[in-house]
Amino acid sequence: MTATFKAWLVDKQADASGNASQTATLSDLTDADLGPGDVDLDVHWSSINYKDGLALMGRPGVVRSWPLIAGIDAVGTVTSSDTDRFATGDEVLLNGAGLGENRHGGLAERARVVSASLVKVPEALGGKRAAAIGTAGFTAMLSVLAVERHGVTPNDGPVLVTGAAGGVGSIAIAVLARLGFEVVASTGRVDSQGDYLRRLGANSVIDRVELSDAGKPLQSQKYAAVIDAVGSTTLVNALAQLNYGGIATACGLAQGADLPGTVMPFILRGVTLAGINSVEAPLALREEAWARLATDLDAGLLDELTTEIALAHARNAAEQILRGELHGRTVVNVRG
Ligand SMILES: NC(=O)c1ccc[n+]([C@@H]2O[C@H](COP(=O)([O-])OP(=O)(O)OC[C@H]3O[C@@H](n4cnc5c(N)ncnc54)[C@H](OP(=O)(O)O)[C@@H]3O)[C@@H](O)[C@H]2O)c1
């Protein structure tokens, strides 16, 4: 008998009027259902990112071919490999690279992946912590690397982190604090998450309403750098509050995909806006970011910001992340 495995499968349906909708179902599949790829994995861990929330709750914009296994992160053990870079038994991780968007993803007990973006799990982390970091933490580290490459050091002034209690924000705060930066955390949950954010290393916590309404094109200079996961007027205000020559990284759109600002911070303060794309990051950058995550993220803090759930509970967590109810990172024990 062919072995089956569990997977969250997203499919698309049309009603009698032709209106399309998507639903995710915990399904039994076989290896014959997996797409092309050169490395097969027993997946042990995945995670819930904002994109996974959208995919599992049937929202458009993430899954682009149907039916598709959801999950933009996969961490597992190689069971067969057509490339010399990996051997059976290697513990590996994959973030983005089309997983859960146009290739079968990591919310499943089995995966067949393309090795071009595959990275060995750093020994210092192990599989569960690597998945707890996941795309959100990887993106946080890509943002920190962009800030460092701009030449910003802890002596230059505070760094603002928006969407602070979310996945990207939480890990960005923990890494920046460990590197010695003064961190200002912007959150909509000052009362419930303020202590949590200070434990991660935030020196101060501000209410996100201070940034969410339209403001002046140039405001008091406060920050050497901004790590933004929110977009819209929040990012515009953050740009307006950057010190001369500062940098803001933009990875997300939790408030909105718009950028309703002016060029004034660019032409009068020489600030830089750096885009962060984890999905298509080249292999060398992936390896650099993961090596840094293994050394520059406190494992105890990571454990503190991580919640573990079983595969069957992934859709409940998806609903919660879209409602803004989760904090930190949610790791999925795929075989739990
Ligand atoms: N470019 C990339 O490669 C990449 C990679 C990963 C993630 N992302 C994007 O980055 C964003 C964050 O991802 P995540 O996984 O960290 O999601 P998450 O855990 O849901 O965190 C998002 C945080 O944004 C804040 N937020 C939510 N709604 C908001 C609003 N209306 N106005 C202002 N702030 C709001 C909340 O923080 P508080 O409760 O603290 O206010 C929330 O926790 C998402 O848009 C995601 O798609 C992009």
Side-chain angles (χ1 to χ4, degrees), residues 103-143:
R103 299 185 49 82
H104 287 310
L107 284 166
E109 292 170 308
R110 294 276 294 156
R112 181 167 297 135
V113 300
V114 175
S115 63
S117 302
L118 199 60
V119 172
K120 281 201 179 142
V121 170
E123 266 179 39
L125 286 175
K128 180 180 173 183
R129 286 189 175 131
I133 293 168
T135 286
F138 172 52
T139 303
M141 183 50 89
L142 293 179
S143 305

Side-chain angles (χ1 to χ4, degrees), residues 50 139 163-168 187-189 208 229 251-255 276 278 321:
Y50 196 81
T139 303
V168 174
T187 181
R189 297 179 275 176
R208 74 186 190 200
C251 76
L253 38 63
Q255 183 181 3
I276 304 295
S278 62
I321 201 169

Side-chain angles (χ1 to χ4, degrees), residues 36-304:
D38 57 352
V39 175
D40 281 6
L41 308 179
D42 274 346
V43 182
H44 294 285
W45 302 98
S46 185
S47 83
I48 302 293
N49 299 275
Y50 196 81
K51 271 186 179 172
D52 300 307
L54 294 171
L56 288 171
M57 295 311 292
R59 304 271 188 88
V62 176
V63 176
R64 293 195 297 276
S65 83
W66 300 267
L68 196 82
I69 298 172
I72 66 170
D73 289 327
V75 176
T77 310
V78 173
T79 58
S80 73
S81 170
D82 292 339
T83 164
D84 293 342
R85 284 185 57 228
F86 298 100
T88 301
D90 284 350
E91 199 170 26
V92 293
L93 64 87
L94 188 55
N95 311 114
L99 276 196
E101 298 193 54
N102 52 25
R103 299 185 49 82
H104 287 310
L107 284 166
E109 292 170 308
R110 294 276 294 156
R112 181 167 297 135
V113 300
V114 175
S115 63
S117 302
L118 199 60
V119 172
K120 281 201 179 142
V121 170
E123 266 179 39
L125 286 175
K128 180 180 173 183
R129 286 189 175 131
I133 293 168
T135 286
F138 172 52
T139 303
M141 183 50 89
L142 293 179
S143 305
V144 172
L145 288 173
V147 167
E148 286 182 345
R149 284 189 173 131
H150 195 68
V152 179
T153 70
N155 293 331
D156 293 319
V159 178
L160 172 68
V161 176
T162 65
V168 174
S170 294
I171 295 197
I173 291 168
V175 170
L176 287 166
R178 170 100 169 221
L179 294 173
F181 286 94
E182 180 184 340
V183 180
V184 177
S186 168
T187 181
R189 297 179 275 176
V190 175
D191 290 342
S192 65
Q193 302 300 329
D195 288 345
Y196 160 77
L197 294 169
R198 279 182 279 269
R199 271 201 312 282
L200 293 185
N203 299 82
S204 52
V205 178
I206 63 170
D207 194 315
R208 74 186 190 200
V209 295
E210 289 185 31
L211 294 162
S212 54
D213 290 336
K216 291 184 179 163
L218 291 173
Q219 302 171 26
S220 301
Q221 298 182 45
K222 293 182 181 170
Y223 304 112
V226 175
I227 291 184
D228 179 66
V230 167
S232 194
T233 39
T234 296
L235 177 55
V236 170
N237 284 322
L239 285 163
Q241 294 179 13
L242 273 176
N243 295 344
Y244 180 87
I247 179 172
T249 62
C251 76
L253 38 63
Q255 183 181 3
D258 56 335
L259 195 60
T262 75
V263 295
M264 301 308 262
F266 302 106
I267 64 176
L268 293 183
R269 291 194 181 150
V271 308
T272 295
L273 178 56
I276 304 295
N277 178 342
S278 62
V279 177
E280 289 168 43
L283 183 61
L285 183 57
R286 288 173 186 270
E287 289 178 334
E288 180 185 3
W290 277 100
R292 289 288 304 275
L293 284 160
T295 56
D296 295 344
L297 177 60
D298 182 290
L301 278 184
L302 175 62
D303 293 345
E304 193 176 328

